[in-house]
Amino acid sequence: MEPQQIVFLAILATALALFVSGRMRVDVVAMLTLLALTFTGILDARQALAGFSSEPAIIVAAVFVLSAGLSATGITDRMGAAIGRAAGGSEWRTIAVVMPATAALAAFSHHVMVTAMMLPILMRLAREQKLAASRLLMPMSLAASLGTTLTLFSAPAFLLAGDLLKRAGGGGLDIFAITPIGAVLVALGTAYMLLGRWLLPKREGDGEAQPGDYLRLERYYTELLVERDSPWIGRTRGEFEQAFAERLQVVDWLRHGMRRRRQAGDSPLAAGDVLLVRASPDEIASIKDEPGLALHAVAKYGDKPREDGQDELLGEEQLVQAVVAPHSEFIGRSVSDIDFLRTLGVVAVGLWRREGWLHGELSEVRLEEGDLLVLWGRQPEFETLAAHHGFLMLMPFQGQEKPRRRAPLALAIMIATVAAAATELLAPQIAFLAGAVAMVLCRCVPIEQAYQQIDVRIFVMIAGVIPLGIAMEQSGTAQLVADLLMAHAAHWPVFVLLLVMFGVAALLTQILSDAATTVLLAPIALAVAQSLGLPATPFVVCIAMGAVASFLTPIGHHGNLLILTPGKYTFGDFLRVGVPLTAAIALATAWMARWLWLDGPLWPALGG
């Protein structure tokens, strides 16, 4: 063993120890590793910094922005809601619908974001249909991870694998090169979960409302005003409900402050009508962008001058939610009696109540202990309000404004980006970078939100671990390990070697990220393929697949951590479900890789 290889192995061992210990952030460890490789002379400055301008790092950052655009315009929410409706009320149908649909979403977005989006939808479905959430959340999370095997840009591991193959003199991978394998894995995972549902835990109370649900609110009551010159004037209530079916629920209809006696679906709306609706926080925050509609309380009070001569509320306002405290002076009084604008300088625009339905004008509802009000005002007023003993607490309103009118444009940008990369009209990194810029320029997502959505840790980590792979090749360590492996496995069938590649990556990814695992093992796979005189693509792809599609523990994928508490899962649950599934995925991946790139048989009966 040469001195440079000994130094490299020492750096690698230290980096692995820091990655596993969790004492430092992964991006910091990656930067320290990069510097160590430079200071020891294993890499020069250009090689050490190559990761920051690499195709994988640029595409990963761009995908975060594209995903933010789809989320900000409400596209992912609509798709998630549609999936929830199609799931029906039975457990098997929910799994059969949710898994392929979730995988399809994850193929063009970030799988953790998709998991987070589907989590409340399935929790609500479990409560309504009296199903155990633990029987639904794990299949959904696994499907989100399997969905990343459908396209090259869905997971950093595949981008890094393609980059390595390109640097090795091959043609790299196009964005749909792994799609046949991914499609088989999604179908296999869905079938496995349907047939092996008995492996999933079923614990009492999983589908019931949890104590923490109190602050994870999904629907508030608020009032919408049909403004003058609104495009909704003359159109029927039925048309309105159909247009907003996925976004809000009409509870009552007021005209001139009185309840409409006839509230049939074919009754036309008129200017000044007020609709009492149940809406999500995002819809309340976004309603000002709907032509001809406004929050009634803001339209009624918000632009009136204050008695003390201050400017109107509109202009620097924000939404805050406040809980009515026990024994509060507001209990039993209506919103109009309290006159929030005059006495507290804010406007009440929405209300959430744990039980019961509200009817009639919101301002006439008498408050109860525990009611949660959505208040509209300026920061100075809220600072004063925070000290008021009538409220238990003030919390930021969690709704995000969604420019839903730009949803078709955001979808068109995403489709054009993928098409440009797939047809090689543009280089993949340029196509995705252009798509991310288009999302911002077309105001599908604010620039500040776009930057916030980029996970800098992942970007820096990818840029930092790419030199680790270069150093493994350049120092000869990859060839050394490959020679040791081939000394014992030279006569093994290629199919078995592909399984070994997958299995080693599957084990290592339980303690490292999929990107780090791929960077460390792909050079070894490349050297093994060269030793056998075979194409490197199937060996490197099996490494990346093992890093992405192994489900042995809950810590192997960030999406699993999101469902751990809501599903009341244990470590053993993931082992019981994940070990057979990972074994089946390994066999399917090795078989498909041999068929795609080594001319192996697709069906066993065909020989070979």
Side-chain angles (χ1 to χ4, degrees):
M1 187 177 292
E2 298 178 2
Q4 192 178 61
Q5 293 173 343
I6 296 174
V7 173
F8 171 77
L9 289 174
I11 295 173
L12 176 60
T14 303
L16 287 175
L18 290 174
F19 275 129
V20 173
S21 69
R23 293 183 178 180
M24 290 186 181
R25 285 173 36 144
V26 292
D27 49 344
V28 175
V29 175
M31 289 298 98
L32 290 175
T33 305
L34 181 154
L35 291 173
L37 293 172
T38 307
F39 292 155
T40 55
I42 297 176
L43 298 179
D44 58 31
R46 182 185 59 82
Q47 292 171 321
L49 298 176
F52 286 97
S53 60
S54 66
E55 178 180 319
I58 293 172
I59 291 179
V60 164
V63 166
F64 277 118
V65 178
L66 288 165
S67 298
L70 297 179
S71 177
T73 53
I75 291 176
T76 50
D77 288 343
R78 292 185 185 183
M79 291 181 176
I83 293 170
R85 289 196 304 273
S90 64
E91 188 177 275
W92 74 268
R93 179 178 170 182
T94 300
I95 294 174
V97 170
V98 165
M99 288 194 69
T102 301
L105 284 175
F108 299 95
S109 187
H110 194 271
H111 76 281
V112 175
M113 186 194 77
V114 172
T115 303
M117 177 195 73
M118 292 300 299
L119 177 59
I121 293 174
L122 289 185
M123 290 295 289
R124 184 171 64 247
L125 180 68
R127 288 195 299 268
E128 293 173 352
Q129 302 298 333
K130 293 181 173 54
L131 301 175
S134 60
R135 307 272 285 184
L136 306 178
L137 296 183
M138 189 181 292
M140 178 272 293
S141 178
L142 297 183
S145 295
L146 289 175
T148 61
T149 66
L150 291 170
T151 56
L152 197 72
F153 57 85
S154 297
F158 298 122
L159 293 171
L160 291 167
D163 182 67
L164 174 70
L165 290 170
K166 187 178 295 184
R167 285 192 284 107
L173 296 169
D174 63 56
I175 64 173
F176 293 117
I178 61 173
T179 303
I181 300 178
V184 169
L185 297 189
V186 171
L188 175 64
T190 304
Y192 173 83
M193 281 300 175
L194 287 173
L195 297 175
R197 281 184 293 155
W198 56 274
L199 292 171
L200 293 167
K202 185 176 183 180
R203 299 188 177 95
E204 294 298 325
D206 285 342
E208 300 299 325
Q210 304 298 322
D213 289 343
Y214 181 76
L215 297 180
R216 293 198 299 269
L217 308 180
E218 300 170 353
R219 293 283 176 175
Y220 294 78
Y221 288 96
T222 191
E223 292 176 336
L224 302 184
L225 173 69
V226 180
E227 298 180 307
R228 296 179 181 178
D229 302 322
S230 171
W232 289 103
I233 295 175
R235 299 179 67 180
T236 67
R237 172 176 171 169
E239 291 176 305
F240 182 92
E241 291 179 331
Q242 183 176 3
F244 290 90
E246 299 177 357
R247 302 169 54 183
L248 50 82
Q249 181 180 10
V250 178
V251 177
D252 212 343
W253 182 5
L254 306 163
R255 180 170 291 174
H256 306 304
M258 303 292 291
R259 291 186 65 189
R260 292 288 317 268
R261 292 186 177 181
R262 183 171 179 267
Q263 299 194 14
D266 57 354
S267 300
L269 298 172
D273 281 359
V274 175
L275 298 173
L276 178 65
V277 301
R278 294 177 75 228
S280 70
D282 291 344
E283 296 304 333
I284 294 178
S286 307
I287 204 65
K288 64 184 179 63
D289 291 327
E290 289 295 333
L293 296 176
L295 291 173
H296 181 221
V298 173
K300 185 176 181 181
Y301 303 112
D303 53 359
K304 289 186 177 182
R306 293 277 304 278
E307 293 181 0
D308 56 9
Q310 294 183 16
D311 294 335
E312 64 272 12
L313 281 173
L314 297 179
E316 301 176 3
E317 66 283 344
Q318 58 180 298
L319 290 170
V320 169
Q321 49 191 11
V323 178
V324 178
H327 312 297
S328 169
E329 63 187 74
F330 302 136
I331 294 176
R333 299 173 62 189
S334 68
V335 174
S336 61
D337 289 340
I338 298 169
D339 195 351
F340 280 92
L341 181 62
R342 184 180 63 81
T343 58
L344 300 172
V346 296
V347 175
V349 300
L351 184 146
W352 178 88
R353 179 168 290 173
R354 181 182 292 273
E355 297 177 353
W357 282 71
L358 303 183
H359 291 278
E361 193 168 358
L362 193 63
S363 61
E364 300 305 318
V365 174
R366 296 193 177 277
L367 298 181
E368 299 177 1
E369 176 185 332
D371 281 353
L372 192 146
L373 289 166
V374 181
L375 304 174
W376 180 293
R378 287 179 174 176
Q379 182 63 32
E381 277 78 9
F382 287 130
E383 290 175 356
T384 303
L385 196 64
H388 198 288
H389 58 80
F391 293 114
L392 189 62
M393 66 182 79
L394 292 185
M395 299 166 289
F397 188 68
Q398 298 300 320
Q400 292 185 347
E401 183 179 340
K402 293 183 180 290
R404 295 187 181 275
R405 286 181 292 170
R406 302 187 187 278
L409 183 58
L411 188 60
I413 291 172
M414 186 68 188
I415 293 173
T417 298
V418 175
T423 59
E424 299 184 353
L425 181 65
L426 294 172
Q429 65 270 35
I430 299 300
F432 280 89
L433 184 60
V437 172
M439 282 287 189
V440 174
L441 291 180
C442 295
R443 293 185 294 174
C444 295
V445 59
I447 182 68
E448 296 83 3
Q449 186 177 344
Y451 277 119
Q452 290 171 359
Q453 291 301 312
I454 297 175
D455 193 330
V456 180
R457 292 175 301 174
I458 293 178
F459 176 81
V460 173
M461 187 198 70
I462 290 174
V465 296
I466 284 177
L468 195 60
I470 297 174
M472 178 171 278
E473 296 177 68
Q474 188 162 299
S475 65
T477 306
Q479 187 62 52
L480 177 65
V481 176
D483 291 342
L484 291 173
L485 177 62
M486 293 310 298
H488 297 85
H491 302 293
W492 291 1
V494 172
F495 181 72
V496 175
L497 287 174
L498 293 176
L499 284 176
V500 170
M501 298 292 111
F502 184 102
V504 173
L507 292 174
L508 191 57
T509 199
Q510 304 307 313
I511 56 175
L512 295 180
S513 68
D514 60 340
T517 299
T518 302
V519 166
L520 290 177
L521 298 181
I524 299 172
L526 183 65
V528 168
Q530 291 172 344
S531 300
L532 294 171
L534 295 173
T537 301
F539 294 89
V540 174
V541 167
C542 281
I543 289 288
M545 284 286 178
V548 171
S550 59
F551 309 104
L552 302 176
T553 67
I555 60 176
H557 295 272
H558 293 161
N560 289 342
L561 297 177
L562 290 179
I563 66 168
L564 198 59
T565 299
K568 296 184 179 179
Y569 295 116
T570 65
F571 199 93
D573 294 332
F574 285 89
L575 280 175
R576 184 173 60 256
V577 175
V579 170
L581 176 60
T582 302
I585 287 174
L587 291 169
T589 299
W591 191 274
M592 289 294 295
R594 189 179 65 163
W595 174 65
L596 286 170
W597 292 292
L598 296 176
D599 296 323
L602 179 59
W603 306 107
L606 297 180

